[in-house]
């Protein structure tokens, strides 16, 4: 069994995982941004361009080579292993954050008397089993939601269109330029997830990963296109969210309150809640599966002799542990991401990309 | 093969996760005390009295006054505390089953408590109460909220859910009652876009059985004194004006009707002019513009109404003048209290770049002194 993703699966997973993370950041944790979170998202899309361009350039320079082999070629075996370990740890952290958020939602909405331990372990086990079947198991689920999503969102918009108030988008700059820029910087961390997806892609062999039958080639990985789709989708979602409830400068930042605002909205009728819940929980399961998968894949690329099932098991266990620990609490997420994760991943990958490009040019010059 | 075995093993172990939590309490309906309505009062001693209406599992024996035999009954719990959260804690500790607020449909707060500065904090505490959802309706009671709760009788079985919704929606359609959910109230108190109006209610004074007409039309009466008699002992009509998180005035039913016309939430209603009954329909939502460049600021409101007389059309000029007078009275009433339930602030806010700029501008003071230019047109007639 091959554990890498094909191009199409990578693109599908990337859109969901990053889009969901961005949306939850705006909807649940973006209270200080008030009515203008959509501006930060749009700016984040622009800020992510340099690294995404670098990834795009590398993947186009040698479209047949796997990203892992490209990196190994650029910085050597041990450096590549170390990089995979670091990225695996960051994916693990994000898996813990995703689990905690999913558990909070489930507890708040319906399972408030179910032990948290059960609520935590169940989704991890389910996602872990999906990951055991390799990348296609995870990405297959995202394909299902892809078609369901537009149906559900379309229904919600039709139901709620009468209660949307577009004046709540004003004043246009909301809390002011500084908070919007700071949030944009934080949201631009979406590139780390995009980079993880890119690393999980295998060589483009034109063969199905499981059966060996031919499948339709979907062409090269288009990180720019994915970034554009994610940014646009997240901006539209943030706009819709804003016109459904007025912003509250200085309002409570409690996640319970934000969840109520998001899921029930306090203003919306039952017809809105069911599709929103479906989209919300399906996408959360997908996000968790994605991070467990990427963490396992990167761990496997660090310790090649470790069997795949052992990687998934270790990652699942650590995810559960992280979900219960304080560092995945909302108060620390922004700090961990802004101070450690995003700068580290962006700087390291940008440097690796630069080295790779320089080496490739050197080879071309030598050949010439 | 080996991997397949591992997958099967993990899948088989999955149900064991259920056992990890031990023997937890389950969410069976019979183990829950589902609150349907909540009352909050300030006592003479300065304490908070919390009341909860809970459906009773047993049938009433019909011995109580006004309780039809065999009908479902309610249980009522009341607790006292220094604050709302204290009283709720005592309630949770003293109810015989697990207190569950997920089905709460209404919160009744006494006018006395709503008129205190502490009201804003109370609304925030209510909003942040776990599993008390924002879709719960809020009612401000002109008298004791406890009396309001005690007067709740099951008219159509235990399903206050549909009973309350049906009656509230009906009153809203008449235009006399502005509906306000907990989230509306919370957003309205904290938002920069205007001030909330909360439904007004009161229990009937049962000691009097003589009906008296209000001085004007039906809408001029306040709840508790409506010219009616019936099984339902609680009356709902009019609205409580909230400014800076505190109740500062009252709108009667007729004023609420005009408020909802100006907000674009009411498109038609029955009306009396020169003793003739007609139906008034709004041709479109009122057009409102706010000119901040002038001092005082100028608010232009343009309203087009289509009258549909029942028998005979009153004089158009008299009708127009009457509509204009009533609307201007309402606007002047709200201006005198510096309260903006019309959401004119939404239009003004769009002319600023940041929220801070708008807050610094001081909309409330400018609104109080604003010059209103109201244009009411009576266009065509409907047959």
């Amino acid at each position: 069994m091959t554990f890498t993703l094909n191009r199409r699966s990578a693109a599908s997973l990337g859109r969901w995982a990053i889009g969901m993370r961005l949306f939850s950041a705006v909807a649940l944790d973006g209270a200080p941004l008030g009515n203008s979170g959509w501006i930060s998202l749009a700016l984040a899309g622009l800020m992510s361009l340099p690294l995404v361009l670098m990834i795009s350039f590398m993947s186009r320079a040698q479209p047949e080579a796997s990203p892992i082999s490209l990196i190994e070629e650029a910085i050597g075996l041990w450096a590549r292993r170390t990089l995979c370990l670091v990225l695996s740890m960051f994916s693990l952290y994000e898996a813990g954050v995703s689990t905690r958020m999913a558990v909070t939602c489930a507890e708040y909405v319906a399972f408030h008397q179910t032990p948290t331990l059960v609520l935590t372990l169940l989704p991890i086990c389910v996602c872990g089993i999906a990951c055991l079947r390799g990348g296609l198991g995870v990405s297959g689920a995202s394909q299902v939601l892809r078609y369901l999503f537009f149906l559900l969102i379309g229904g919600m918009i039709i139901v709620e269109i009468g209660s949307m108030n577009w004046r709540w988008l004003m004043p246009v700059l909301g809390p002011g330029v500084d908070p919007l820029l700071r949030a944009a910087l934080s949201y631009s961390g979406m590139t780390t997830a995009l980079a993880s997806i890119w690393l999980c892609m295998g060589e483009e062999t034109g063969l199905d990963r499981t059966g060996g039958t031919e499948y339709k080639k979907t062409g090269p990985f288009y990180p720019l296109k994915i970034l554009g789709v994610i940014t646009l989708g997240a901006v539209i979602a943030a706009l819709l969210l804003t016109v459904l409830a007025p912003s509250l400068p200085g309002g409570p930042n409690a996640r319970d309150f934000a969840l109520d605002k998001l899921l029930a909205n306090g203003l919306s009728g039952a017809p809105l809640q069911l599709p929103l819940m479906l989209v919300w929980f399906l996408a959360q399961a997908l996000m968790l599966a994605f991070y467990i998968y990427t963490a396992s894949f990167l761990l496997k690329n660090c310790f090649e002799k470790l069997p795949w099932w052992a990687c998934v098991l270790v990652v699942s266990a650590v995810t559960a542990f992280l979900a219960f620990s304080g560092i995945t609490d909302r108060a620390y997420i922004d700090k961990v991401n802004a101070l450690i994760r995003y700068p580290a991943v962006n700087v390291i990958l940008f440097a690796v990309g630069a080295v790779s490009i320089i080496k490739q040019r050197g080879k071309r010059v030598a050949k010439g | 093969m080996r991997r397949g075995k591992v997958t099967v093993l993990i899948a088989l172990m999955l149900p064991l996760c259920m056992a990890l939590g031990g023997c937890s309490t389950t969410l069976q309906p019979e183990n829950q005390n589902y609150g349907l309505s909540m009352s909050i009062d300030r006592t003479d001693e300065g304490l908070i009295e919390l009341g909860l209406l809970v459906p009773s599992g047993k049938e009433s024996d019909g011995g109580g006054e006004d309780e039809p035999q065999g009908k479902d009954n309610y249980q009522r719990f009341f607790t006292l505390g220094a604050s709302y959260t204290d009283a709720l804690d005592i309630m949770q500790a003293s109810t015989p089953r697990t207190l569950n607020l997920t089905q709460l449909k209404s919160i009744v707060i006494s006018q006395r408590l709503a008129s205190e500065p502490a009201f804003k904090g109370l609304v925030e505490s209510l909003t942040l109460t776990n599993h008390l959802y924002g879709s719960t309706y809020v009612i401000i009671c002109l008298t004791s909220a406890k009396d309001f709760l005690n007067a709740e009788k099951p008219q159509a079985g235990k399903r206050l859910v549909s009973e309350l919704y049906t009656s509230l929606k009906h009153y809203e359609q008449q235009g006399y009652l502005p509906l306000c959910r907990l989230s509306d109230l919370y957003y309205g108190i904290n938002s920069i876009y205007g001030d909330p109006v909360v439904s007004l209610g009161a229990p009937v004074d049962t000691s009097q059985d003589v009906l008296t007409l209000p001085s004007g039309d039906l809408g001029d009466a306040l709840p508790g004194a409506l010219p009616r008699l019936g099984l339902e002992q609680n009356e709902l009509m009019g609205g409580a004006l909230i400014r800076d998180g505190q109740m500062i005035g009252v709108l009667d039913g007729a004023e609420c009707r005009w408020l909802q016309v100006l907000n674009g939430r009411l498109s038609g209603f029955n009306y009396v002019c020169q003793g003739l009954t007609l139906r008034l329909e709004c041709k479109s939502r009122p057009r409102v513009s706010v000119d901040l460049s002038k001092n005082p600021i100028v608010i232009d409101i343009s309203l087009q109404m289509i009258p549909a007389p029942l028998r005979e059309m009153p004089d158009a000029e008299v009708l127009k003048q009457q509509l204009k007078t009533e609307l201007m009275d309402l606007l002047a009433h709200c201006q005198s209290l510096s309260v903006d339930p019309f959401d004119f602030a939404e239009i003004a806010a769009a002319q600023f770049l940041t929220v801070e700029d708008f807050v610094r501008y001081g909309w409330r003071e400018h609104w109080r002194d604003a010059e209103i230019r109201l244009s009411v047109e009576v266009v065509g007639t409907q047959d």
Side-chain angles (χ1 to χ4, degrees), chain A residues 150-202:
Chain A
F150 292 104
L151 190 71
L152 296 174
I153 293 291
M156 281 161 50
I157 291 173
I158 290 167
V159 169
E160 288 301 314
I161 203 154
S163 57
M164 289 175 180
N165 188 343
W166 295 93
R167 285 182 186 153
W168 287 340
L169 290 171
M170 300 293 171
V172 69
L173 288 181
V177 175
D178 277 3
L180 291 178
L181 280 177
R182 273 200 298 273
L185 198 63
S186 170
Y187 297 153
S188 66
M190 70 170 103
T191 45
T192 60
L194 198 64
S196 299
I197 300 162
W198 174 63
L199 285 173
C200 293
M201 290 197 314

Side-chain angles (χ1 to χ4, degrees), chain A residues 1 3 35 107-110 112-115 117-118 121-122 125-126 129 132-133 165 167-177 244-252 254 256-257 260-261 264-268 273 307-309 313, chain B residues 2-4 6-7 10-11 14 17-22 24-27 32 98 100 102 124 127-136 181 183-184 186-188 190-193 285 288 343 346-347 349-350 352-356 358:
Chain A
M1 187 191 295
F3 307 108
N35 57 330
E107 270 181 343
Y108 183 75
V109 173
H112 41 278
Q113 292 199 331
T114 308
L117 190 64
V118 174
L121 292 182
L122 271 175
C125 288
V126 170
I129 289 171
L132 277 177
R133 305 310 300 167
N165 188 343
R167 285 182 186 153
W168 287 340
L169 290 171
M170 300 293 171
V172 69
L173 288 181
V177 175
L244 278 172
S247 65
L248 302 173
D256 276 357
F257 174 74
D260 191 28
K261 191 176 166 186
N265 196 26
L267 305 166
S268 310
Q273 294 177 25
W308 175 244
W309 65 266
L313 204 63
Chain B
R2 191 180 160 196
R3 284 193 203 102
V6 171
T7 311
I10 292 176
L14 196 61
C17 293
M18 298 291 188
L20 288 171
S24 65
T25 48
T26 51
L27 198 65
Q32 310 283 314
T98 308
N100 190 319
T102 56
E124 182 155 335
T127 307
L128 295 176
T129 301
N130 206 18
H131 299 121
L132 198 166
Y133 295 118
S135 52
T136 310
R181 295 174 193 269
S183 54
D184 292 326
Y186 182 74
Y187 293 152
N190 291 284
S191 157
I192 58 167
Y193 300 119
R285 282 176 71 102
V288 181
D343 300 337
E346 281 180 7
I347 302 160
F352 292 83
L353 264 183
T354 65
V355 171
E356 197 184 344
F358 181 63

Side-chain angles (χ1 to χ4, degrees), chain B residues 74-86:
Chain B
Y74 292 134
Q75 283 184 317
R76 290 169 181 81
F77 299 100
F78 293 96
T79 56
L80 211 57
S83 66
Y84 158 74
T85 42
D86 284 350

